[in-house]
Amino acid sequence: MRFLLFPVLLVVVVLVTACKHKKETRQEAGTEDRRPNIVLIMADDLGFSDLGCYGGEIETPNINWLAENGVRFAEFYNTSRCCPTRASLLTGLYNHQAGIGHMTTDENRQGYIGRLSDHAVTLAEVLKPAGYQTGMSGKWHVSNTIEQETPEAQMRWLNHQEEHPLFSPVEQYPTNRGFDKYFGNIWGVVNFFDPFSLVNGTEPVKTVPENYYHTDAINDTASAYIREFSREEKPFFLYVAHTAPHWPLHAFPEDIAKYEDVYKAGWDTIRQRRYERLIATGIIDRERYPLPPRWKNDLKWEDNPDAEWDARAMAVHAAMIDRMDRGIGRILETLRETGEIDRTLIVFLSDNGASPENSMRYGPGFDRPGSTRKGEEIVYAVDKKVLPGPETTFGSIGTRWANVSNTPFSYWKSESFEGGIHTPMIAFWPEGIRMEKGGIARESGHVMDFMATFADVAGAAYPETYNGRDIHPLQGRSLKPVLEGKKATGHPALFNEHEGGRMVRTKKWKLVAPDAKSSWELYNMDTDRTETKDVASARPEVVKRLDSLWTDWARQNHVMRE
């Protein structure tokens, strides 16, 4: 194999060297397009404090490097769940305006059509006309899902025992929404060793090689796209949408072994350590970010009858993030090899807080297989008797570990409390960021701001019409002034709604409720960023004012409260 690999590596080196020389020549001649490349990387169900640079014990040296040489945001918001966040991020709109108020089922109501609206444009559809090459690898999850006629047929499809050509209407695929190239999963949930809904462009990928792992494939495809794009004079936009560490908990044994003893310390110990590291790094302070009581702290770790399983579950979660980081390291190395690293704006974030779901209780069905391609039964270990990690298991970390992952906040994915809508966000851009390296941005931002930001740095125009259709006005705001160390106006207020849970956030106040039937809770964000003291009864005038703001926003954005 050494003799076969050497010529291939030699060709790669020659191509990279030639590519570098070509770019240097164009730059010297003053003809090279110096607008930045843009690489947007998003994790799936990553907790606020999972990353090393956000207080976590998980080894993420490559993401940490981006933070050390870029900017970390302390107050950045998503829309609390996978597909709504992706819709908002891709379009620069609140997710209801973008078409996905809930999930990917068409509910035949404006704001809840379960796919990207015809009156929205994607980042790729805006950057491509401006001269950008566009590519995506990973999770799409913003199109209507096609299902088979019977549960039995659906299960055969999920188990790779039956083939069908489309996972969504083909006009909703990424390559029909502005992306030149795409490899990834159209649906949300995947078996990491043998993903369902995997496509290349619009063609189903019917088989994968031995030792396939989806996180590696997403990262390595991104690297391949970078090598191809870098041969052209035009800049490129690349969207890398990970499925890790979303359940099911799947990882290689050697990656799990690295963390097998770490989480035996238990929920309280890990959470307190993360909290102290967050304070030490300056991301939070003890006064404004008091640590709330741990969720369901009635059960002590030493009394936990499932301690072995729970420690293993979090070890697999960590292994999935560790593996993702190593692949991101390969992307960074590719950018260095092709001479693109300094001129590339890289953004990393999570789509929502860590997930509290007990996915074992869901059982097989809809997007969850019952067996592997080889016919091996997949165990949904409700009783926690079978340890997670292998392809033949299906599990998740659950509420208590999700609470730890989202330290210092309460709650988690799907909630409008900070643990659900608050995301780690890192921006890296050597040629464009004027803030001190490793700095922390305190301005609030939102995933819908990426459209305005990328259009700003790319000199791209956000359209009023596209393909003969009127386009909703842009709702996000550019973060470019923040990256340049300037004063940014930001949003006077930010809003959210998901499954009846709702919130409105101003600079000082946050009004939030867990569901449509619950009363509003009010928190002072100047003194209580972790939502520990509800002051709604003491400040009814603030509740009334913010409720009016939320109602107006909901009406304008086709949001249903029920």
Side-chain angles (χ1 to χ4, degrees):
M1 284 297 291
R2 292 178 187 169
F3 296 101
L4 290 173
L5 283 173
F6 178 76
V8 175
L9 291 174
L10 180 60
V11 169
V12 171
V13 170
V14 170
L15 284 174
V16 170
T17 303
C19 183
K20 281 186 178 181
H21 178 70
K22 186 178 179 184
K23 287 180 178 294
E24 289 165 359
T25 302
R26 283 199 304 270
Q27 187 176 3
E28 290 168 3
T31 61
E32 187 179 13
D33 188 340
R34 293 302 299 174
R35 291 178 299 167
N37 306 311
I38 301 169
V39 178
L40 173 59
I41 307 173
M42 186 161 65
D44 194 350
D45 290 5
L46 178 84
F48 182 76
S49 63
D50 277 335
L51 301 174
C53 55
Y54 274 84
E57 65 292 324
I58 303 170
E59 294 184 23
T60 55
N62 298 293
I63 299 172
N64 294 354
W65 183 85
L66 291 173
E68 291 161 5
N69 292 277
V71 175
R72 282 168 295 171
F73 279 70
E75 296 187 10
F76 205 83
Y77 287 94
N78 54 63
T79 69
S80 82
R81 197 154 190 176
C82 308
C83 41
T85 288
R86 289 158 207 275
S88 182
L89 172 146
L90 280 165
T91 64
L93 305 171
Y94 278 109
N95 55 291
H96 300 81
Q97 283 282 62
I100 303 184
H102 185 216
M103 299 294 282
T104 54
T105 298
D106 187 350
E107 300 179 16
N108 297 312
R109 290 174 286 190
Q110 192 171 0
Y112 298 82
I113 60 175
R115 61 173 175 84
L116 294 182
S117 169
D118 295 332
H119 300 286
V121 283
T122 69
L123 289 165
E125 287 171 329
V126 169
L127 293 173
K128 188 173 180 177
Y132 272 69
Q133 305 169 85
T134 59
M136 176 184 172
S137 63
K139 178 175 174 175
W140 182 234
H141 205 205
V142 285
S143 56
N144 297 138
T145 49
I146 291 175
E147 298 180 56
Q148 300 310 306
E149 293 183 357
T150 66
E152 294 77 16
Q154 181 79 356
M155 191 55 58
R156 289 194 298 270
W157 195 26
L158 292 171
N159 296 347
H160 303 289
Q161 308 302 322
E162 193 172 283
E163 294 178 1
H164 297 278
L166 292 175
F167 302 100
S168 292
V170 71
E171 64 272 14
Q172 299 175 20
Y173 276 38
T175 50
N176 289 315
R177 293 305 307 245
F179 289 95
D180 296 322
K181 305 182 76 66
Y182 172 67
F183 170 84
N185 51 297
I186 296 295
W187 286 29
V189 174
V190 297
N191 170 343
F192 281 78
F193 298 105
D194 194 358
F196 176 75
S197 77
L198 190 62
V199 303
N200 184 18
T202 59
E203 292 298 316
V205 177
K206 297 180 180 179
T207 60
V208 295
E210 289 291 326
N211 293 319
Y212 179 95
Y213 190 68
H214 198 43
T215 301
D216 289 342
I218 290 170
N219 283 322
D220 292 342
T221 299
S223 290
Y225 288 169
I226 290 168
R227 291 189 186 95
E228 180 178 344
F229 290 155
S230 67
R231 298 185 189 125
E232 300 293 328
E233 184 177 346
K234 297 189 297 183
F236 58 81
F237 165 59
L238 182 59
Y239 175 33
V240 186
H242 276 285
T243 58
H246 191 293
W247 46 264
L249 293 166
H250 282 169
F252 287 114
E254 61 269 27
D255 294 341
I256 301 170
K258 190 174 179 179
Y259 297 94
E260 63 182 353
D261 294 326
V262 172
Y263 298 101
K264 293 178 181 178
W267 305 303
D268 294 295
T269 298
I270 298 296
R271 188 168 182 252
Q272 189 64 41
R273 288 173 181 170
R274 289 189 175 199
Y275 182 65
E276 297 300 332
R277 282 193 295 265
L278 278 164
I279 293 170
T281 59
I283 297 173
I284 68 172
D285 62 82
R286 206 177 301 273
E287 288 71 30
R288 288 203 310 146
Y289 293 77
L291 186 63
R294 180 175 59 79
W295 181 259
K296 293 187 177 180
N297 61 358
D298 54 312
L299 178 62
K300 295 181 179 179
W301 181 260
E302 53 268 30
D303 298 329
N304 178 17
D306 299 312
E308 180 186 10
W309 195 98
D310 287 333
R312 170 65 172 252
M314 194 61 182
V316 180
H317 177 85
M320 296 169 77
I321 295 167
D322 187 305
R323 190 87 178 193
M324 177 179 65
D325 178 81
R326 279 179 277 159
I328 290 170
R330 294 193 296 277
I331 292 174
L332 297 178
E333 189 56 35
T334 303
L335 288 168
R336 295 185 188 104
E337 290 171 356
T338 54
E340 301 284 357
I341 189 75
D342 288 340
R343 60 181 293 184
T344 300
L345 167 58
I346 303 173
V347 172
F348 177 90
L349 74 157
S350 178
D351 61 349
N352 44 248
S355 172
E357 295 163 279
N358 182 346
S359 65
M360 296 86 79
R361 293 191 183 278
Y362 296 160
F366 180 57
D367 56 3
R368 304 171 303 277
S371 68
T372 68
R373 186 186 296 266
K374 296 177 182 178
E376 303 163 291
E377 181 185 1
I378 293 174
V379 177
Y380 288 73
V382 178
D383 57 4
K384 296 187 175 181
K385 300 300 183 185
V386 177
L387 294 178
E391 183 183 3
T392 51
T393 64
F394 201 104
S396 52
I397 60 174
T399 53
R400 291 184 174 93
W401 278 128
N403 187 202
V404 174
S405 284
N406 294 327
T407 304
F409 304 115
S410 297
Y411 293 101
W412 32 65
K413 171 182 177 179
S414 83
E415 298 289 346
S416 291
F417 291 87
E418 295 292 284
I421 62 173
H422 208 99
T423 182
M425 203 285 265
I426 300 164
F428 167 92
W429 183 19
E431 291 186 357
I433 292 179
R434 298 291 175 262
M435 290 183 65
E436 182 181 358
K437 283 186 178 181
I440 300 172
R442 302 293 176 186
E443 291 83 356
S444 292
H446 191 279
V447 292
M448 67 182 170
D449 294 337
F450 290 131
M451 175 68 84
T453 304
F454 297 166
D456 195 355
V457 303
Y462 182 85
E464 293 183 2
T465 62
Y466 187 84
N467 287 343
R469 298 185 296 270
D470 291 337
I471 299 302
H472 293 309
L474 184 62
Q475 293 179 303
R477 299 193 177 192
S478 178
L479 300 169
K480 186 169 178 279
V482 178
L483 302 180
E484 293 175 340
K486 299 176 183 178
K487 183 71 175 177
T489 55
H491 298 272
L494 289 170
F495 303 87
N496 196 57
E497 185 275 339
H498 185 66
E499 295 182 334
R502 59 204 193 278
M503 76 95 180
V504 52
R505 162 80 201 271
T506 64
K507 185 176 181 180
K508 180 175 181 178
W509 299 105
K510 181 177 176 185
L511 197 66
V512 61
D515 55 62
K517 296 180 180 179
S518 297
S519 300
W520 285 115
E521 300 174 23
L522 179 68
Y523 298 96
N524 186 331
M525 292 286 105
D526 285 346
T527 60
D528 185 17
R529 291 282 289 107
T530 50
E531 302 165 316
T532 63
K533 297 178 181 177
D534 177 11
V535 296
S537 60
R539 300 301 302 267
E541 77 286 359
V542 176
V543 172
K544 183 178 180 180
R545 176 170 60 86
L546 296 186
D547 175 74
S548 178
L549 285 178
W550 191 91
T551 300
D552 289 344
W553 170 81
R555 185 180 302 112
Q556 293 165 11
N557 287 271
H558 316 291
V559 177
M560 300 177 302
R561 294 187 63 164
E562 65 277 357

